[in-house]
Amino acid sequence: MTTTRILSTRSLCVIAAVLLYGAMIASLSVGPMNISFSDSLQSLIPSQQDVLPPHVEMIIQQVRLPRTLLAIAVGGILAISGAVMQGLFRNPLADPGIIGVSSGAALGAAIAIVVFADLAVNYPLLLVLGTVPVFACIGGIVVTFLVYRLGSTTNGTSVSMMLLAGVAIAALAGAALGLLNYFADDQALRDLSLWTMGSLAGANTNALGLAFVTLIVLLIAYYRDANKLNAMLLGESEARHMGINVQNLKRRLIVLAAAGVGVTVALAGMIGFIGLIVPHLARMLVGPNYKSLLPVSLLLGALLLLIADMLARTVVALSICQ
């Protein structure tokens, strides 16, 4: 028995994009200081920005707009990376967090924060856009390949072994993070504590550039391999019979996913749930075809993280007022 799709992929993408734009305007308005929707819309039009009061323009342009755009980029990266990893490992639980990618990236970034704590005092931009993303990407890639090797046998890849290895390595990475917290000085400990909770508060122009470049590169690379990912859904042996080099495909996509998650961890800390649940929501709407799944996952991931951040800021603002 088959179900009839109510909306086409194009129509669904248009609706999701409109909702995302509306959520973006709402995100510019919501916060400790109330800003009207009209002022939020005017702030996005360069010719109308001079009409706004200076403090309103400053809050939107320097605080809320960068945070909103970072939420869109990070949510999109996590969603499409989660969708790719679920298809690659043919397991609905294989998100970047469960197989250890996020933990490895977090450990690498934490090492950079603790080791280069003195450097951060004089060169904070170098730490945020240099050492932390590099160490986070390296940590994510190393852990991902370790999990992949532990789950690989002569008969192929055991998904259950990979998941078990990912859980075990994530636990070890958590213990290493605790050890780093013990040896960190006061400033590094404060940075680690805020960073491990996950936050979009550190958004700035340079971070946005790195995030959106990563998102565009990943989307193009994933989309080029969409048909191969569709073939992988049938099984590795079937994909090989179709002429696909499965091992090269796995290595390439694992490196891309680990690098993408490493960038999100470096810029926004540990953010879960997006890479696991959003691909399932997208499959319910458009099916398993990665040609449709990737753009819908991107839009839904950006929308979900933006709404979550907006709700978090609202709760904090209400608690402060009380």
Side-chain angles (χ1 to χ4, degrees):
M1 180 178 179
T2 59
T3 57
T4 302
R5 191 182 303 168
I6 299 176
L7 295 174
S8 65
T9 301
R10 182 176 300 177
S11 300
L12 188 60
C13 287
V14 171
I15 293 173
V18 171
L19 291 175
L20 182 60
Y21 183 76
M24 179 179 173
I25 300 300
S27 177
L28 298 180
S29 304
V30 171
M33 177 182 174
N34 291 325
I35 298 176
S36 65
F37 281 92
S38 60
D39 288 344
S40 299
L41 285 171
Q42 287 183 356
S43 68
L44 300 178
I45 304 174
S47 60
Q48 298 294 322
Q49 291 176 359
D50 295 337
V51 181
L52 297 174
H55 66 282
V56 173
E57 182 182 355
M58 182 187 70
I59 290 174
I60 293 177
Q61 296 294 332
Q62 298 184 19
V63 179
R64 293 186 183 177
L65 182 59
R67 181 168 181 150
T68 298
L69 294 176
L70 185 61
I72 292 173
V74 169
I77 292 172
L78 291 175
I80 61 176
S81 296
V84 166
M85 299 189 85
Q86 288 173 6
L88 197 62
F89 299 143
R90 302 187 315 282
N91 191 292
L93 297 178
D95 83 311
I98 291 179
I99 67 169
V101 181
S102 298
S103 299
L107 180 58
I111 291 173
I113 290 173
V114 174
V115 172
F116 298 98
D118 295 334
L119 185 66
V121 177
N122 297 321
Y123 305 99
L125 189 61
L126 177 63
L127 186 70
V128 173
L129 297 179
T131 55
V132 172
V134 169
F135 274 67
C137 291
I138 292 174
I141 291 172
V142 168
V143 168
T144 306
F145 270 108
L146 181 58
V147 171
Y148 175 72
R149 293 298 300 172
L150 290 173
S152 299
T153 62
T154 55
N155 297 323
T157 303
S158 172
V159 177
S160 59
M161 282 298 297
M162 291 187 67
L163 293 176
L164 290 173
V167 172
I169 292 177
L172 291 175
L177 278 171
L179 187 63
L180 287 173
N181 284 327
Y182 177 78
F183 286 108
D185 57 22
D186 291 341
Q187 181 59 43
L189 182 60
R190 188 178 297 106
D191 293 339
L192 278 175
S193 299
L194 294 174
W195 174 80
T196 51
M197 290 188 292
S199 174
L200 300 168
N204 54 53
T205 304
N206 297 298
L208 289 176
L210 178 60
F212 275 99
V213 167
T214 303
L215 176 61
I216 293 171
V217 170
L218 288 180
L219 182 60
I220 294 173
Y222 290 159
Y223 202 81
R224 289 179 59 185
D225 289 327
N227 290 328
K228 295 179 181 179
L229 284 167
N230 289 334
M232 286 288 292
L233 295 177
L234 302 174
E236 291 186 14
S237 59
E238 287 78 2
R240 289 192 184 95
H241 288 312
M242 299 173 79
I244 297 173
N245 191 329
V246 173
Q247 296 304 319
N248 285 344
L249 177 66
K250 282 186 174 182
R251 292 191 188 100
R252 180 170 67 253
L253 293 181
I254 284 173
V255 169
L256 288 172
V261 174
V263 169
T264 64
V265 169
L267 297 179
M270 300 286 288
I271 296 178
F273 191 73
I274 302 293
L276 175 63
I277 197 65
V278 168
H280 292 295
L281 294 176
R283 286 189 188 94
M284 292 172 60
L285 295 172
V286 297
N289 187 350
Y290 274 86
K291 291 283 188 179
S292 304
L293 184 63
L294 287 172
V296 174
S297 294
L298 189 156
L299 292 170
L300 291 181
L303 180 61
L304 182 59
L305 185 57
L306 184 56
I307 292 174
D309 179 63
M310 197 164 34
L311 291 175
R313 283 190 283 131
T314 304
V315 170
V316 171
L318 291 175
S319 63
I320 292 175
C321 292
Q322 293 178 351

